[in-house]
Amino acid sequence: MEKACIDINELISVFSNAQGSIYQSDKLNCFYVDFGGKFARYNCLSLQKLKKVVEQIDIEALLLNTHKADFELVTFNGCEHIYLLSALEIVALKDLLQGTFTMFKLNHLINDCLYRLVY
């Protein structure tokens, strides 16, 4: 999906690092991952699946294996997006997804504390 098709003013930045960003669209009820030259749309469940797949990649084994290149194909069932990532890109994507889910948890904790203070 092209960035030009989406009104960037409607997107809320959830988390960013030097290699990419994840945005939330309340209007469309989805997330956009801007990483590796790709701007991909995910629903909440798909984003969780992507995080699980990326976290299961063993970076150490990937780097120590001399019989194959240090690239990994990242996808999962039901996903139309495929990433071919180097070991460094996998680390950056892991960081991006972990930071995003940390922001989700932090937002939930802040809302919970504010709700308790008000009521």
Side-chain angles (χ1 to χ4, degrees):
M1 175 165 287
E2 295 295 321
K3 287 183 191 179
C5 299
I6 301 159
D7 185 5
I8 199 74
N9 295 325
E10 294 178 359
L11 299 180
I12 300 165
S13 179
V14 177
F15 187 77
S16 298
N17 64 12
Q19 289 77 24
S21 299
I22 295 185
Y23 301 98
Q24 176 179 340
S25 172
D26 291 337
K27 183 178 179 181
L28 299 173
N29 199 23
C30 64
F31 298 95
Y32 291 94
V33 177
D34 186 7
F35 185 82
K38 180 181 253 192
F39 195 73
R41 179 179 173 173
Y42 292 92
N43 62 25
C44 187
L45 184 59
S46 295
L47 192 64
Q48 289 174 334
K49 286 182 182 179
L50 177 64
K51 181 179 184 282
K52 184 177 179 182
V53 167
V54 170
E55 285 182 346
Q56 289 177 347
I57 298 172
D58 186 1
I59 299 292
E60 186 177 343
L62 187 65
L63 291 172
L64 292 176
N65 188 350
T66 59
H67 300 301
K68 74 176 206 179
D70 65 339
F71 286 91
E72 188 75 26
L73 193 64
V74 178
T75 190
F76 54 90
N77 288 341
C79 181
E80 59 190 42
H81 306 290
I82 298 173
Y83 296 95
L84 180 61
L85 303 174
S86 69
L88 292 176
E89 290 171 326
I90 293 169
V91 170
L93 184 56
K94 275 186 183 184
D95 175 61
L96 184 64
L97 291 167
Q98 287 172 351
T100 298
F101 280 85
T102 300
M103 288 296 127
F104 291 154
K105 290 176 188 172
L106 180 61
N107 186 38
H108 176 72
L109 288 172
I110 291 171
N111 284 334
D112 189 41
C113 288
L114 289 174
Y115 181 76
R116 288 184 198 168
L117 288 175
V118 173
Y119 298 102

